Amino acid sequence: MASLRALHAFSLLARHGRAALAAEKLGVSPSALSHLMRKLESELGATLVNRDGRGLTLTEEGQRLALSLGDAFDRIEEAVDSFKRRGRTELRISTVSTFATRWLIPRLPEFQASQPDVELLLSASTRMVDLDRENYDCAIRLGTGNWPSVESHLLWQEHLAVALAPTLLSDKDPSDPSVLSGLRLIHSASRRNDWTLWLDKSGLDHPDTNSGMVLQSRDLAIQAAIAGMGAIVIDRRFIAQELEAGHLISPDLTVMELETGYWFVRSPARTLTRPVAAFRDWLQTTAKGTTS
């Protein structure tokens, strides 16, 4: 019977067409791969590869063997991977992009450490997923919490605060609203009305209310603010690290509380599994400890 390792080496060569890449995938040197090919040819009594100075290419008999092997080794690898994952539980989470990148992901190692057998599958989207029909165990939603047929738990109420790079203030008084008059306003396309809301609340006017720089996401807007391209209004929880590091400062101006907030939601029609309950409780505890 032919050596399985030699057959695996041959299948990799047939798939990738390059001896160096096949050897790398197998974790051996190119010369070791060539030795395995010779061993397999000796065992099968057939010439499987051409050796003409241009690398290893399949002969007609080699092509016939490759066709017969098909995806056998792929299926073996899938079976082994599936066996390795036994006992692990998947937790499928849908969330909004800014929450995921600016707040959740930096803290997820803490949750993973407390639930090492839970395999996290995280999807970020602006679309509101259907928790009854789609393959998600839970979601983080932005809104007022009045969604029908879902169980909702408020994580925090959203606010808007001004933030900018400290270099833009120089010797100006950061508590003086007039500091904004000479600065560009940075907008996020997904939150185009935030500056208008904040300025109205503060009783201020600015020429960039309906113009100014527009970035596709709040994450990009934050990066632009760090680069000193203008001022943003944002929930301070999303820039906590930048504020602590001094890359951004938040002047002592109006902090506007919004009606919207971030919520943990799940379908009550689905069984509350241990990973979902653990994630919900961890989120609520962690959110409470977040400085606003």
Side-chain angles (χ1 to χ4, degrees):
M1 182 177 179
S3 162
L4 276 177
R5 184 165 178 78
L7 280 170
H8 189 198
F10 173 78
S11 73
L12 289 171
L13 178 62
R15 181 197 304 175
H16 297 292
R18 290 171 49 207
L21 183 54
E24 181 183 339
K25 294 288 184 182
L26 193 63
V28 300
S29 66
S31 62
L33 179 78
S34 180
H35 176 74
L36 285 169
M37 291 300 95
R38 291 189 183 280
K39 179 182 178 183
L40 183 62
E41 289 177 325
S42 176
E43 291 173 344
L44 297 180
T47 302
L48 303 175
V49 295
N50 295 308
R51 298 169 178 84
D52 53 9
R54 293 178 298 176
L56 302 180
T57 59
L58 300 189
T59 64
E60 186 176 338
E61 287 190 304
Q63 292 173 4
R64 189 180 305 120
L65 176 59
L67 187 62
S68 298
L69 287 174
D71 62 349
F73 283 96
D74 288 340
R75 287 187 280 115
I76 290 172
E77 288 179 5
E78 288 174 8
V80 171
D81 288 342
S82 177
F83 182 78
K84 287 180 178 178
R85 291 196 301 270
R86 70 193 186 282
R88 293 185 64 82
T89 305
E90 290 185 348
L91 177 60
R92 297 169 295 271
I93 308 160
S94 171
T95 182
V96 288
S97 178
T98 302
F99 183 92
T101 58
R102 305 298 309 182
W103 191 89
L104 179 59
I105 290 175
R107 293 168 173 82
L108 271 182
E110 178 189 333
F111 174 76
Q112 192 74 85
S114 67
Q115 303 289 328
D117 65 322
V118 175
E119 187 170 307
L120 298 172
L121 300 176
L122 188 67
S123 173
S125 171
T126 56
R127 182 180 63 86
M128 187 179 296
V129 299
D130 187 330
L131 290 168
D132 286 322
R133 296 177 180 272
E134 298 185 57
N135 196 28
Y136 291 104
D137 298 302
C138 57
I140 309 298
R141 286 183 182 173
L142 174 62
T144 55
N146 56 347
W147 301 286
S149 304
V150 296
E151 174 188 320
S152 305
H153 299 273
L154 179 64
L155 300 178
W156 75 70
Q157 204 77 16
E158 198 179 16
H159 69 245
L160 293 176
V162 175
L164 65 161
T167 53
L168 295 182
L169 282 181
S170 59
D171 298 327
K172 298 176 184 176
D173 179 2
S175 63
D176 183 355
S178 66
V179 298
L180 293 177
S181 60
L183 299 178
R184 296 188 70 181
L185 303 186
I186 301 173
H187 304 273
S188 165
S190 60
R191 301 288 296 256
R192 194 66 176 81
N193 203 39
D194 280 357
W195 264 116
T196 300
L197 291 173
W198 187 89
L199 289 166
D200 288 347
K201 176 72 173 180
S202 304
L204 300 173
D205 293 315
H206 195 285
D208 281 353
T209 302
N210 297 311
S211 59
M213 182 184 300
V214 181
L215 282 301
Q216 186 177 8
S217 68
R218 282 183 289 175
D219 196 41
L220 290 176
I222 291 169
Q223 297 305 317
I226 293 171
M229 300 181 74
I232 56 171
V233 278
I234 193 79
D235 192 310
R236 285 173 175 163
R237 296 173 185 86
F238 293 144
I239 55 171
Q241 292 181 341
E242 288 76 14
L243 291 174
E244 185 177 351
H247 300 313
L248 291 174
I249 61 172
S250 185
D252 188 18
L253 302 174
T254 301
V255 177
M256 180 183 181
E257 297 293 333
L258 300 178
E259 295 181 358
T260 51
Y262 289 89
W263 301 72
F264 168 88
V265 298
R266 61 173 293 270
S267 170
R270 293 191 175 189
T271 302
L272 178 60
T273 62
R274 186 259 307 171
V276 174
F279 184 62
R280 177 200 60 196
D281 296 343
W282 173 81
L283 272 177
Q284 290 183 294
T285 300
T286 306
K288 285 179 181 177
T290 302
T291 303
S292 63

